Amino acid sequence: MAEIRTRFAPSPTGYLHLGGLRTALYAYLFAKKNGGKFILRIEDTDQEREVPGAVDLIYHSMREAGLTYDEGPDVGGDFGPYIQTQRRDLYLPYAMQLIETGAAYPCFCTKEELQQRRDAATARGEQFKYDKHCLHLSKEETKKRMESGESYVIRQNVPLTGTASFEDALFGHVEVPCDTLDDNVLIKADGLPTYNFANVVDDHLMGITHVMRGTEYISSTPKYNLLYEALGWPTPTYIHLPVVMKDATRKLSKRYGDPSFEDLLAQGYVKEAVINFIALLGWCPKEEREFYTLPELVEAFDLDGLSKSPSIFNMDKLVWFNSEYIKKMPFEDYLTMVTPWFDKALAGKQMDYRRLAELMHTRTEVFDRVPDMVRFLAELPEYEVDIYTHKKMKTDPAISLQALQLARPALEKLDNFGEEPLKECLMALAAENGMKNGQMMWPVRIAISGQLNTPGGATEIAYLLGKEETLCRIDAGIAKLEA
RNA sequence: GGCUCCAUGGUCAAGCGGUUAAGACGUCGCCCUCUCAAGGCGAAAUCAGGGGUUCGAUUCCCCUUGGAGCUGCCA
């Protein structure tokens, strides 16, 4: 059996979006699972839409994701070049061959003319379809106009009757009536091929055996098969992948401000978590399991786990995956990763980062949420007195004031400001004064943190703050409660 | 509008003619607890509707409905 070759063929129009990443991931997994090759090809035939730097962004994202390709623009290979504009001269001969056999024809209609006719058709409430006007030009006239340097395109000559079809490994047989198909442009006036043509030619020339791409291509694939047939080439196996949605009706897209892969990494998502989550979005493994490393995904991947319907990108679940990955991370790794996020809120403060990291490790869902969670350590936030009142802790402003007034001198006398001594001190104080633990701990924690929820209890916070700052904040609390 | 595709809880989804219709996220309880998390236990929640086929449909077929994609000298 021939070696399996799949490819990921993005256009350099910006960052790598999550739908694209998933398509790339599946193509990678399928190739690797079957001992085949995974290829990266840059489809930059639309010069107008190209965004400078986008190609490098794609390389970068692919590396970050761990999707190493066996062949590609920056790694080479036997089927290069892997950038379509660098292959520009390759396409025309095939187009000419198509013209010879009648499967294509030159067209001299200008964009403007076409647009007018399209608009007119729309105004009449009709669907515009190219009328094969230039197909009926005489050979002589065509030849003369081409040689005179007149601008022209080459169009696919789709039959007016019959049907075109293809077999999809996921969707099965897909067939469309030819009369609903338009004569697409194969070679543009600038000499570059359109996606419709470049794709067919390159997939064939590069020996791609399995074409994996989004379902947006499903309706034009029958037309591509017509091209393969006309060229006498074997068709690849098609596997169209459903799109990733933002919600029930909208596709995930940068236009709506949805994050790209790089955005997620910048926000503090762990790349392994993103890959893991993406993999399970539209594909389900055979076994009852949800945590997979990339190599494990390769091992587990199979086509019949693929879903046919679009799936909604569930941010909540990504967050959950991310927090799970963070929790499983060795502590030292976590400390390294979280340190810059601590710095954002605590820069310049003397703080036991290691202890803070211990407290934060199971509380971190996404790294960019860390600064807001620890900022109170740098500066006591403004807070309302009513947060001293907590029903379950049985506290109110009066009890809180009493607790703080008791705690203040006791803590001042405490030489060892470690968590254990702090705890013993405050607990003992509560017991001596007939208070419940919560009636002592809650007010102290509120006074020294100024907020309802904190990553750690009163003693941990007091330790992190240190004696001086703790006493200072308790004083502020007392003043606030007395006011 | 035309063509194509899709349809199990709020979301991701298992299921591939006979099941108490898995599991996960989220939600809601309870436990633990110096707050919040984490952890443990538990609960609610799904086969879009209508026709067939069949002894029997979530599962196969048709229609309706809903959604998506395509309908560019974009990919």
Side-chain angles (χ1 to χ4, degrees), chain A residues 44-45 55 61 67 104 131 186 190 203 249 300 313 323 374 417 426:
Chain A
D44 60 345
T45 57
V55 174
S61 292
L67 305 182
D131 61 2
L186 265 22
D190 65 3
D203 281 342
T249 59
F313 190 92
S323 66
V374 302
F417 225 64
L426 292 173

Side-chain angles (χ1 to χ4, degrees), chain A residues 300-352:
Chain A
F301 192 76
D302 69 290
L303 254 28
D304 47 54
L306 286 173
S307 167
K308 288 203 250 188
S309 41
S311 36
I312 298 172
F313 190 92
N314 183 189
M315 225 4 139
D316 283 343
K317 185 133 189 189
L318 204 215
V319 168
W320 176 79
F321 259 112
N322 203 55
S323 66
E324 289 298 312
Y325 269 84
I326 288 174
K327 270 178 282 191
K328 286 177 186 160
M329 192 180 281
F331 177 72
E332 293 302 325
D333 292 354
Y334 174 76
L335 180 61
T336 305
M337 286 189 78
V338 80
T339 293
W341 297 95
F342 283 166
D343 284 339
K344 276 186 197 288
L346 310 174
K349 285 278 163 187
Q350 195 84 334
M351 185 75 57
D352 184 348

Side-chain angles (χ1 to χ4, degrees), chain A residues 407-459:
Chain A
R408 162 76 223 218
L411 292 177
E412 190 173 9
K413 268 188 287 203
L414 197 61
D415 289 324
N416 183 346
F417 225 64
E419 289 175 30
E420 273 311 307
L422 276 163
K423 185 173 178 183
E424 282 167 23
C425 169
L426 292 173
M427 295 286 204
L429 206 54
E432 285 161 19
N433 292 278
M435 301 169 90
K436 298 185 67 92
N437 288 340
Q439 290 177 313
M440 176 58 67
M441 299 309 225
W442 179 273
V444 171
R445 195 182 57 83
I446 293 298
I448 65 178
S449 70
Q451 57 192 37
L452 240 24
N453 302 326
T454 50
T459 59

Side-chain angles (χ1 to χ4, degrees), chain A residues 142-411:
Chain A
T142 301
K143 194 169 177 236
K144 206 175 83 190
R145 291 173 73 173
M146 282 169 82
E147 284 168 359
S148 77
E150 185 175 345
S151 175
Y152 69 96
V153 302
I154 296 175
R155 284 183 184 276
Q156 179 173 3
N157 184 19
V158 178
L160 289 165
T161 58
T163 62
S165 66
F166 74 98
E167 303 301 320
D168 190 284
L170 222 202
F171 292 94
H173 183 76
V174 178
E175 185 171 281
V176 341
C178 285
D179 61 6
T180 64
L181 266 21
D182 206 352
D183 283 359
N184 284 141
V185 169
L186 265 22
I187 301 282
K188 300 184 278 188
D190 65 3
L192 282 168
T194 58
Y195 171 87
N196 303 315
F197 195 50
N199 209 260
V200 167
V201 172
D202 287 343
D203 281 342
H204 175 256
L205 260 28
M206 293 182 180
I208 303 304
T209 58
H210 297 254
V211 171
M212 297 175 85
R213 51 154 66 132
T215 48
E216 60 266 33
Y217 296 105
I218 221 169
S219 49
S220 40
T221 300
K223 220 155 29 177
Y224 303 152
N225 262 10
L226 253 23
L227 254 21
Y228 276 100
E229 284 163 27
L231 258 3
W233 295 341
T235 55
T237 298
Y238 294 101
I239 302 153
H240 286 92
L241 277 2
V243 295
V244 179
M245 309 288 286
K246 173 201 181 65
D247 55 39
T249 59
R250 287 179 299 171
K251 207 168 142 178
L252 199 64
S253 141
K254 185 77 171 182
R255 275 202 287 268
Y256 301 122
D258 301 320
S260 67
F261 179 54
E262 302 277 352
D263 288 338
L264 291 180
L265 299 187
Q267 284 168 23
Y269 285 88
V270 180
K271 57 192 171 197
E272 289 82 0
V274 178
I275 296 293
N276 196 151
F277 170 66
I278 290 272
L280 264 24
L281 201 62
W283 173 76
C284 186
K286 287 262 186 295
E287 55 179 336
E288 179 72 38
R289 170 181 170 187
E290 54 193 349
F291 288 98
Y292 288 90
T293 62
L294 192 56
E296 288 167 346
L297 283 172
V298 168
E299 191 51 42
F301 192 76
D302 69 290
L303 254 28
D304 47 54
L306 286 173
S307 167
K308 288 203 250 188
S309 41
S311 36
I312 298 172
F313 190 92
N314 183 189
M315 225 4 139
D316 283 343
K317 185 133 189 189
L318 204 215
V319 168
W320 176 79
F321 259 112
N322 203 55
S323 66
E324 289 298 312
Y325 269 84
I326 288 174
K327 270 178 282 191
K328 286 177 186 160
M329 192 180 281
F331 177 72
E332 293 302 325
D333 292 354
Y334 174 76
L335 180 61
T336 305
M337 286 189 78
V338 80
T339 293
W341 297 95
F342 283 166
D343 284 339
K344 276 186 197 288
L346 310 174
K349 285 278 163 187
Q350 195 84 334
M351 185 75 57
D352 184 348
Y353 270 19
R354 177 167 287 271
R355 180 58 184 142
L356 179 58
E358 282 170 8
L359 294 168
M360 287 292 292
H361 199 168
T362 61
R363 289 171 233 253
T364 306
E365 292 183 308
V366 187
F367 282 106
D368 72 351
R369 300 182 188 181
V370 166
D372 283 346
M373 292 172 75
V374 302
R375 181 159 296 130
F376 74 95
L377 291 167
E379 191 180 357
L380 182 65
E382 288 294 325
Y383 64 94
E384 297 299 321
V385 183
D386 60 11
I387 64 172
Y388 277 106
T389 304
H390 190 279
K391 205 172 145 204
K392 202 175 157 204
M393 294 297 115
K394 298 195 182 350
T395 61
D396 58 37
I399 288 169
S400 297
L401 179 59
Q402 186 196 351
L404 294 185
Q405 282 169 336
L406 287 165
R408 162 76 223 218
L411 292 177

